[in-house]
Amino acid sequence: MLEQIIKERGIPALPNIDNTDEKREYMKRILAEEEYGLPVPKPEEVTYEVKELENANYMTGNATLEEVTVKGKLLGRDFSFPFKFVHPTDKKNQKVIVQINFRYDCPDKYTPAEEIIDRGYSLAVFYYNDITTDNNDFTNGIAGILFPDGERREGNATGKIMMWAWAASRVADYLETLDFVDMDKLGVAGHSRLGKTALVTAAYDDRFKFAHSNDSGCSGGAIHRNKRGETVEAITRNFPFWFCPNYKKYINNEGAMEFDQHWLVAASAPRFVEIGTAVEDVWADHESEYLTCVMASEEFEKQGVVGFVHPDRYPELHEHMKDGHISYYVRPGRHFFSRYDWNKFMDFIDLKIGDNK
Ligand code: GCU
C-alpha cells in the first residue's frame, strides 16, 4: 500500500551516491542551498559563565538549576546568549536533552522539567529569540552578525532555523566540556518551528545522537509533495525569514524539488530520529510525516542499522514504532509539546541505550 502512495505522490529517492559521507554532505548541501540557507560557521572563540540559580529549593531539592552564558566571537564580532541547565545535584553519568524553546522558563508549559529530571535526564534549554528574533529583522543577534550591513538576503542566505540550530550546537560545545555528561546519549528536542530546528540541528551536527521533532510538519518532518495543510506557498508567505530565499522557487512547484524532507532525516543516519505528531494537527499532517520516516529508512539500513520498522499502512493512534533508529508515533489531540511527547522521546532513548529503569 505505501509503495503505491509514494509513487503517486512522486517522492524522489535519496541521492544515488555510494559513499556514505559524500551522500550525507550532498544532502546537507542541497538542503542548505534550497531550503534553510548556509550553516553558520563555528565561532572563533567561546567562554562560559556559569551561575547557580537554584539548588536546595529547586524541585524536590535533588536538582540544580544553572544559567550558562555562552560568550564568544563569530566572524570577528561578539555574541552571547544564556541557557538554563538543570541536572541532578548528585552529578552522574548524564543523558542530556537540549531543548530549543519558545520561552526562557524552566519548567514551562512545553518543558515538564521535573518529570524529565525524575526520569534521570538533564535538560539544557535556550530561548530561540535570544539567538535572533523570530521575524524578518536580520539586524539582531546572530542574524546581525551574518548580515552586518543590513544587506538583502538572496539565494542561499542563512535563514533563522539554521541560526537557532547553530545555537543548539553551541550548547553541545559546553556539554562536551563536562565530564559527567555522556555525549553518546545527547538529544535535541523542539516543537513546531523548533521541531524543524531540532531536525536541522541533528542533520548538521552529529554530536547529537537523538533528535525529537514534535509536530514539526511543513519544512520539518513532513514530505512536501501532496501534503495536507501547510505548503511551501503558505510557509514562505508567513515565515520567509526561516528559510533561504531559494526556497521560494518551490511555491506551488514542490514537484521540482530534487529533495524532500526524508533527506533531512537521512542526513542524521545512522543515529536516532523521532518524529512525534498529533492527529488533530492537520496543518502539520501526520501522514506526510510518516512517509518521511518510511522514505528515510533506506539510508539507515544502508549504513548497517535497522531503519524504520513499520507496517504497510498508515499508523494508528498511539502506536509507537520505535524498533529501529527512526521512531514515529501519532497521539490524540492538537499542536502542543506535551508530557506524552516527552515521555515517548525518553522511552525511545532509554530503549536504545538499554536504560529501561
Ligand atoms: C505556524 C507555522 C508552522 C509552525 C508553527 C509553529 O503554524 O505555519 O509551520 O510549525 O507555526 O511553530 O508553531
Side-chain angles (χ1 to χ4, degrees):
M1 169 189 166
L2 293 174
E3 205 177 311
Q4 184 62 22
I5 292 170
I6 285 162
K7 210 163 136 203
E8 279 165 18
R9 288 176 64 155
I11 307 172
L14 293 168
N16 187 14
I17 300 173
D18 272 345
N19 180 281
T20 299
D21 294 336
E22 277 172 31
K23 189 174 185 174
R24 176 166 180 241
E25 287 314 309
Y26 184 78
M27 293 189 289
K28 282 163 55 185
R29 182 159 68 74
I30 297 296
L31 290 163
E33 286 287 333
E34 303 298 311
E35 188 167 1
Y36 303 105
L38 297 180
V40 182
K42 289 204 174 99
E44 300 92 68
E45 279 171 33
V46 219
T47 56
Y48 308 104
E49 246 171 56
V50 184
K51 193 163 80 189
E52 187 172 290
L53 299 183
E54 300 258 13
N55 181 344
N57 296 324
Y58 196 60
M59 297 181 179
T60 54
N62 61 358
T64 298
L65 173 64
E66 288 165 348
E67 178 171 82
V68 181
T69 306
V70 184
K71 290 189 174 171
K73 278 209 189 301
L74 173 64
L75 304 172
R77 301 183 64 182
D78 293 333
F79 74 88
S80 89
F81 71 91
F83 68 90
K84 284 186 174 155
F85 184 39
V86 194
H87 57 79
T89 303
D90 66 337
K91 298 176 181 174
K92 282 208 189 104
N93 191 18
Q94 272 305 299
K95 31 189 187 183
V96 184
I97 299 176
V98 176
Q99 185 192 5
I100 312 160
N101 201 17
F102 292 91
R103 288 159 296 275
Y104 193 48
D105 301 336
C106 180
D108 171 62
K109 67 176 180 178
Y110 288 166
T111 314
E114 195 174 358
E115 280 96 328
I116 295 168
I117 287 286
D118 283 350
R119 285 195 58 160
Y121 285 80
S122 294
L123 187 65
V125 189
F126 69 89
Y127 172 42
Y128 75 145
N129 274 330
D130 282 339
I131 312 309
T132 181
T133 53
D134 186 7
N135 56 21
N136 221 347
D137 178 353
F138 278 81
T139 63
N140 68 81
I142 300 306
I145 294 178
L146 295 180
F147 304 100
D149 308 314
E151 69 212 51
R152 236 177 90 81
R153 289 193 323 126
E154 278 167 14
N156 59 12
T158 309
K160 298 261 171 145
I161 288 177
M162 212 33 127
M163 298 183 206
W164 300 324
W166 172 89
S169 292
R170 305 292 66 83
V171 175
D173 295 343
Y174 172 71
L175 296 172
E176 262 183 333
T177 69
L178 304 176
D179 54 11
F180 68 95
V181 169
D182 186 343
M183 292 298 284
D184 287 336
K185 301 172 182 168
L186 184 65
V188 59
H191 169 63
S192 210
R193 65 201 68 181
L194 301 178
K196 309 182 209 297
T197 308
L199 290 177
V200 171
T201 301
Y204 287 82
D205 185 343
D206 49 22
R207 290 174 301 172
F208 289 94
K209 304 300 182 216
F210 293 87
H212 175 89
S213 140
N214 200 70
D215 302 349
S216 69
C218 187
S219 327
I223 290 291
H224 287 97
R225 289 163 165 84
N226 289 87
K227 186 186 169 301
R228 283 186 308 165
E230 192 169 33
T231 58
V232 178
E233 189 282 318
I235 206 164
T236 55
R237 176 163 34 84
N238 296 321
F239 308 102
F241 43 88
W242 290 350
F243 307 101
C244 66
N246 277 343
Y247 194 36
K248 292 194 177 142
K249 292 196 290 202
Y250 304 106
I251 293 177
N252 299 323
N253 192 24
E254 281 90 348
M257 288 175 175
E258 176 187 351
F259 60 100
D260 211 321
Q261 291 306 106
H262 55 305
W263 287 33
L264 184 63
V265 171
S268 287
R271 289 165 289 133
F272 298 91
V273 179
E274 177 167 84
I275 297 198
T277 182
V279 76
E280 287 180 50
D281 191 353
V282 178
W283 194 235
D285 185 2
H286 75 273
E287 290 184 346
S288 294
E289 297 203 290
Y290 184 69
L291 294 179
T292 295
C293 300
V294 173
M295 294 292 292
S297 184
E298 180 191 306
E299 182 55 21
F300 292 75
E301 302 275 344
K302 275 218 170 108
Q303 293 189 34
V305 298
V306 180
F308 185 43
V309 180
H310 62 89
D312 188 23
R313 56 162 170 77
Y314 277 126
E316 282 165 14
L317 268 185
H318 296 295
E319 245 178 316
H320 193 186
M321 300 177 193
K322 57 178 185 316
D323 290 348
H325 282 226
I326 302 177
S327 161
Y328 174 96
Y329 65 86
V330 52
R331 63 156 169 81
R334 304 207 179 158
H335 195 69
F336 189 79
F337 199 176
S338 66
R339 281 156 182 71
Y340 183 112
D341 300 302
W342 277 100
N343 279 319
K344 290 287 179 221
F345 188 34
M346 293 185 287
D347 289 347
F348 178 49
I349 301 177
D350 284 349
L351 179 70
K352 300 304 157 182
I353 64 180
D355 195 0
N356 283 312
K357 0 178 223 261

